[in-house]
């Protein structure tokens, strides 16, 4: 399945999550998907994105690592269904939106955390999601820099 469709599926699942365990599972899924997309971009993406893509892979992996690994079957892991990136720009735009939503969901959980352990787990996951999103935005900037400017006659 292509990256944009998987990201859209993740966004919908995160929005439909009701309780904290469901939200945390969807946050983990989103980070795993970001890690997979970063890996794919590092290997098959435009050369100017490869360094940032490796960074995204590492940061998203850290985001998964600070969270409890959810218990589900391999076929439920969205990242495992990634078969193609499609348009890198569109995938990155969608991924940036998903990571922003992940951060917002984690803030909500942190604010109502029943204990200090859950609070700090959320804080570390928020940091990883925010840094991952920064990498995504940098890759989008690099993609924009490589596109030739439109001639003035076409812009008007």
């Amino acid at each position: 399945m292509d990256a944009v469709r998987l990201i859209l599926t993740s966004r919908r699942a995160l929005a439909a999550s009701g309780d904290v365990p469901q939200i945390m599972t969807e946050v983990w899924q989103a980070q795993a998907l970001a890690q997979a997309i970063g890996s794919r971009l590092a290997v098959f993406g435009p050369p100017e994105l490869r360094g940032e893509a490796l960074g995204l892979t590492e940061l998203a992996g850290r985001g998964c690592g600070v969270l409890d690994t959810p218990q589900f079957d391999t076929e439920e892991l969205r990242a495992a269904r990634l078969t193609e990136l499609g348009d890198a720009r569109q995938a990155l735009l969608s991924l940036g939106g998903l990571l922003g939503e992940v951060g917002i969901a984690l803030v909500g959980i942190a604010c109502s955390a029943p204990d200090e352990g859950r609070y700090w787990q959320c804080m570390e996951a928020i940091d990883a999601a925010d840094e991952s999103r920064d990498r995504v935005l940098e890759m989008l900037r690099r993609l924009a820099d490589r596109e030739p400017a439109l001639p003035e006659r076409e812009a008007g």
Side-chain angles (χ1 to χ4, degrees), residues 16-61:
S17 298
D19 59 7
V20 171
Q22 286 178 321
I23 295 169
M24 295 301 278
T25 295
E26 291 308 324
V27 166
W28 191 92
Q29 285 264 36
Q31 289 285 20
L33 183 55
Q35 186 178 26
I37 290 169
S39 294
R40 184 71 56 123
L41 278 168
V43 175
F44 300 110
E48 62 269 24
L49 301 185
R50 292 186 179 155
E52 294 296 328
L54 284 172
L56 173 61
T57 301
E58 180 182 318
L59 289 165

Side-chain angles (χ1 to χ4, degrees), residues 14 27 97-109 122 125-126 129-130:
L14 181 61
V27 166
L98 174 61
L99 291 168
E101 291 166 8
V102 160
I104 291 167
L106 287 166
V107 167
I109 293 171
C122 287
I126 289 167
D130 187 49

Side-chain angles (χ1 to χ4, degrees), residues 81-124:
R81 291 187 265 166
L82 179 65
T83 57
E84 63 181 276
L85 282 174
D87 177 34
R89 182 180 178 282
Q90 188 59 47
L92 289 168
L93 284 170
S94 297
L95 183 59
L98 174 61
L99 291 168
E101 291 166 8
V102 160
I104 291 167
L106 287 166
V107 167
I109 293 171
C111 288
S112 62
D115 58 67
E116 202 170 304
R118 173 71 76 182
Y119 173 82
W120 286 111
Q121 182 184 45
C122 287
M123 288 295 111
E124 290 181 39

